[in-house]
């Protein structure tokens, strides 16, 4: 499949890119990943219980609700969302080549695109210490804003 724009990642940055690309009639294709890096499609936002600092939601919104709204808006403008993980890209020539995680090496034809947006986000670095699982998001977190407010 050839696309004008492929977006890798489905968090707020990926969906923002998708909305702008779709509104510019670039017919973007988003690979939202399937538990990529151990994180569900939508990224870290899906694990956030309450988002109070995102514009437009004065009463706050849950991470999963915001993820759903971002996805809905991307689709509304025509973004094709594929729930697969990208395992490899080749930027050395045009068109750019993108392989899905389940591709069988070089024998599977890659997807191609004219432009690639990588919006893969981040994941929290855990310490793997005693009690971490028990206290994660119950006093122990990786949120600078949350931790600073405590």
């Amino acid at each position: 499949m050839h696309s004008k724009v492929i977006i890798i990642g489905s968090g707020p940055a990926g969906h923002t890119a998708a909305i702008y690309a779709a509104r510019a009639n670039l017919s973007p294709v988003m690979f939202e990943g399937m538990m990529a890096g151990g994180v569900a499609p939508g990224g870290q936002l899906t694990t956030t219980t309450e988002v109070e600092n995102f514009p437009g939601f004065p009463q706050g919104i849950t991470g999963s609700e915001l993820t759903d709204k971002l996805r809905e808006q991307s689709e509304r403008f025509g973004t094709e969302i594929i729930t697969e993980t990208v395992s490899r890209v080749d930027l050395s020539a045009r068109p750019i080549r993108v392989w899905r995680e389940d591709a069988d090496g070089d024998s599977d034809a890659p997807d191609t695109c004219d432009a690639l947006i990588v919006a893969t986000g981040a994941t929290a670095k855990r310490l793997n210490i005693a009690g971490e699982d028990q206290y994660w998001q119950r006093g122990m977190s990786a949120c600078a804003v949350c931790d600073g407010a405590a």
Side-chain angles (χ1 to χ4, degrees), residues 8-13 36-40 42-47 118-125 142:
I8 303 172
S10 59
V39 179
Q44 281 191 64
L45 188 56
T46 62
T47 65
V118 179
T120 52
T123 54
K125 299 278 188 213

Side-chain angles (χ1 to χ4, degrees), residues 6-7 11 22 27 31 36 51 55 67 70 73 77 80 88 98 110 129 136:
I6 287 179
I7 300 163
S27 306
F31 284 92
V51 179
T67 299
L70 292 168
Q73 190 170 2
F77 289 110
E80 178 184 351
R88 171 170 71 128
V98 176
I129 58 175
W136 192 255

